Amino acid sequence: MSPPVLEPSLAQHGSAHDSRLDHDFHSAWGSLYTNENTVSDDKILPLWSQYAVDKAAVERKYQLLLDEYTRLFCSVFGGYHPISMHAHATDSLMPTTITSLILNTAATSPLVLASPILRPKPDEEPQETGMRVRQFALHLLGWDETHILTPTFIVAENIYGAGYGPLANLSKEWEINAIASGPKPSTIDMWESDDDTLNAQFGEAKRKGCIAVLFDMVSTADGLVLRPEQFGRIKKCCARHRLLLIIDETMTAMRCGAPFSFQRPEYACQAPEYQPDLVIFGKGIGVSGIAINFDGTITKDFAYTDPADVAQTIRYWRALVSRPIRLPNLLEALGILRASVREDWPLQSIQIGKAVRDVLYELEPSTKEPGVVQGLGAVIAINKELALRYRVMCAIRRRSPWARLLPKLDGAAGDRESLMRQVFGQESRDQRRNLARAAEECGTTPLWCFICGIEATSEDWCRTCFLSFCNNEVCVKAFHRHVCI
């Protein structure tokens, strides 16, 4: 099942003044998709109101709401089911978690439960059943004990990685690299490697215990966009070596012109017979986790064709935890998904990305040169110094020369006049001073360090530009060199 093709439109979904626009293009590391109130949805608001006075009554609807969320997610994201929920995307990126999830999906598949040889027998010990099913799953996946005991990933060499665990080994920030734990993943230049190179490296990594290939379509390091033909090449190579294909859409879901960025037309037509098995989601979706495609490059071999079998294996996996997602988070996530459909965020992202780029081209003609502005849709990467010049809060990696602009997917961000008046232009001074006055009245400050992107901690923030900084020595010095608007 593929999502509808999304094409840019000149029509705006509402007035450019429907929502409050400001210079916070950090958006909590991309986890805020809108300034609009998703709680006021005509279906979700009554549930919140009831929850406030009769929590137990809404709790009794929990399974119905979770099923509704699962169906809506699958519809919005073109056949991907949110099977595993986690507090943070990093938790979803643990190789051991992925290994157990795939083993469970194989063990509860029709290949096992409908087989008189493989399915559980009433007269045998549970351990005997488990060993038989486990060996079947290993054979099906081309795994051995190494893939179970010390599983690893093959990752693109310019991927962000994760804040902790095995993928933290990839971080260029010493604070994260220092706390990495677990086996290092294999890193490969997936952006430029040819078929022979990918085949050799994928094959060697699989023999050493790699179970999956992991990458993002837009590099979180510098905004470099994966070429469509390279995406097709990677998919074919994963199929050849029986490696799971995992796409990290934590930053790019909804922001790049399609529900998942790899569903854009130029990517969807590349080796369409092979599809990603798993997608990592999070940030603005309201909950983080793993979505599974039962027609993926590897998962299609599990023979899930009946929706009842799909629903059953999802229930089995979710039953391994006390509750996959807390009810308040479920209500919020359901409201966000409904808003994404109502406001067509993928389409908005195309319009907003174009509007922001056009403003940058106008203010700084050098940005028209190839490679100066990178990214896709409403994920925009520019030189950090340029972001500092226009006093925009961005998602920044401290030791990277790149800054990521992650505007909210609200209509106003797609309007040039609004962008100039409230974000980039000299006329944004009034908006910033209004924000500063409001912050002082309620005892808050700008959220993000203008220099490095982490939480701002200083009380000595700029009331003119509505910018702040953390107490890192480098950031303190750099901040005090900024010129007020």
Side-chain angles (χ1 to χ4, degrees):
M1 177 178 177
S2 298
V5 172
L6 299 171
E7 295 293 344
S9 168
L10 294 177
Q12 290 291 336
H13 293 257
S15 166
H17 304 288
D18 285 346
S19 60
R20 191 64 175 262
L21 176 66
D22 60 36
H23 59 289
D24 180 3
F25 280 20
H26 184 292
S27 299
W29 302 105
S31 64
L32 298 178
Y33 278 154
T34 180
N35 281 328
E36 295 297 322
N37 186 355
T38 59
V39 174
S40 61
D41 179 272
D42 59 4
K43 180 164 186 175
I44 303 303
L45 183 58
L47 291 167
W48 279 115
S49 299
Q50 186 180 22
Y51 186 81
V53 296
D54 190 355
K55 176 175 177 286
V58 185
E59 289 283 0
R60 286 191 288 272
K61 302 174 184 176
Y62 177 84
Q63 199 57 54
L64 291 175
L65 292 169
L66 182 59
D67 290 344
E68 181 179 351
Y69 173 79
T70 301
R71 288 192 299 271
L72 181 57
F73 187 107
C74 186
S75 174
V76 169
F77 290 104
Y80 284 81
H81 301 257
I83 189 170
S84 193
M85 314 295 192
H86 300 273
H88 191 273
T90 292
D91 300 327
S92 309
L93 288 166
M94 296 295 178
T96 49
T97 299
I98 298 293
T99 300
S100 291
L101 171 60
I102 292 300
L103 287 174
N104 182 80
T105 307
T108 56
S109 71
L111 296 177
V112 172
L113 300 185
S115 168
I117 297 174
L118 293 172
R119 67 189 179 196
K121 298 176 174 58
D123 58 347
E124 69 178 349
E125 293 294 324
Q127 295 85 349
E128 186 178 346
T129 305
M131 184 57 66
R132 184 176 66 254
V133 172
R134 183 187 183 94
Q135 290 303 315
F136 167 77
L138 290 180
H139 177 74
L140 181 65
L141 293 162
W143 291 359
D144 57 31
E145 287 299 316
T146 301
H147 296 91
I148 293 177
L149 298 177
T150 55
T152 58
F153 294 151
I154 302 168
V155 299
E157 65 179 14
N158 57 346
I159 199 172
Y160 167 73
Y164 49 84
L167 294 185
N169 284 293
L170 305 173
S171 178
K172 295 179 174 60
E173 309 289 339
W174 71 262
E175 299 93 334
I176 295 176
N177 195 265
I179 65 172
S181 59
K184 288 185 178 181
S186 300
T187 56
I188 293 175
D189 178 9
M190 296 188 202
W191 261 243
E192 299 296 338
S193 295
D194 59 20
D195 286 330
D196 290 341
T197 302
L198 288 177
N199 275 317
Q201 294 182 321
F202 280 21
E204 179 64 20
K206 175 72 179 280
R207 287 188 289 274
K208 291 181 177 179
C210 283
I211 62 166
V213 175
L214 168 70
F215 58 95
D216 40 24
M217 307 300 290
V218 181
S219 169
T220 52
D222 55 14
L224 188 65
V225 179
L226 185 69
R227 300 192 312 278
E229 63 272 16
Q230 194 69 2
F231 182 51
R233 183 174 289 123
I234 294 170
K235 289 201 289 184
K236 292 176 183 177
C237 201
C238 285
R240 192 173 296 121
H241 294 281
R242 305 288 296 150
L243 287 161
L244 293 160
L245 178 57
I246 307 175
I247 309 295
D248 184 354
E249 290 273 357
T250 308
M251 187 74 72
T252 49
M254 299 287 187
R255 289 186 173 277
C256 294
F260 287 139
S261 60
F262 65 84
Q263 293 169 331
R264 288 173 60 102
E266 66 267 33
Y267 292 116
C269 68
Q270 297 292 326
E273 67 274 25
Y274 303 121
Q275 294 301 319
D277 299 286
L278 304 173
V279 176
I280 308 301
F281 63 91
K283 300 290 188 186
I285 303 299
V287 61
S288 297
I290 305 167
I292 186 169
N293 174 12
F294 291 96
D295 194 31
T297 301
I298 303 302
T299 54
K300 63 184 175 185
D301 291 342
F302 299 165
Y304 282 94
T305 56
D306 188 336
D309 292 331
V310 169
Q312 178 173 264
T313 193
I314 291 175
R315 283 197 305 273
Y316 283 164
W317 176 257
R318 290 176 177 172
L320 298 177
V321 296
S322 56
R323 179 165 276 191
I325 176 175
R326 293 181 63 249
L327 181 57
N329 299 108
L330 176 57
L331 292 177
E332 180 185 28
L334 191 53
I336 289 172
L337 271 189
R338 287 172 61 85
S340 77
V341 174
R342 184 172 61 250
E343 299 170 14
D344 200 344
W345 286 349
L347 177 61
Q348 292 274 40
S349 73
I350 297 175
Q351 299 167 338
I352 291 168
K354 181 180 185 305
V356 173
R357 286 174 176 82
D358 285 346
V359 168
L360 291 172
Y361 298 156
E362 179 182 338
L363 293 174
E364 180 54 64
S366 67
T367 58
K368 297 179 182 179
E369 296 296 322
V372 177
V373 178
Q374 301 198 132
L376 190 64
V379 175
I380 304 161
I382 62 175
N383 184 277
K384 185 189 297 184
E385 294 303 317
L386 189 61
L388 296 178
R389 187 188 313 168
Y390 292 106
R391 309 165 190 87
V392 179
M393 285 187 278
C394 305
I396 300 172
R397 291 169 62 181
R398 183 177 292 169
R399 291 169 181 83
S400 171
W402 293 89
R404 290 165 291 175
L405 307 183
L406 303 170
K408 314 290 192 306
L409 301 181
D410 296 322
D415 179 72
R416 179 207 172 277
E417 297 304 320
S418 295
L419 287 169
M420 291 298 294
R421 184 174 59 254
Q422 296 177 266
V423 180
F424 291 100
Q426 287 290 322
E427 55 265 50
S428 70
R429 183 191 304 108
D430 293 340
Q431 160 84 334
R432 293 166 185 258
R433 287 177 174 171
N434 289 337
L435 291 170
R437 281 193 293 270
E440 290 197 295
E441 287 174 5
C442 61
T444 62
T445 69
L447 291 173
W448 313 107
C449 175
F450 174 53
I451 307 302
C452 76
I454 67 171
E455 178 187 358
T457 55
S458 176
E459 295 296 324
D460 183 26
W461 52 279
C462 179
R463 272 67 176 175
T464 301
C465 300
F466 194 62
L467 296 171
S468 190
F469 56 100
C470 69
N471 288 324
N472 179 279
E473 182 179 356
V474 173
C475 295
V476 172
K477 290 180 179 179
F479 183 82
H480 287 297
R481 289 196 299 268
H482 96 275
V483 179
C484 285
I485 194 165

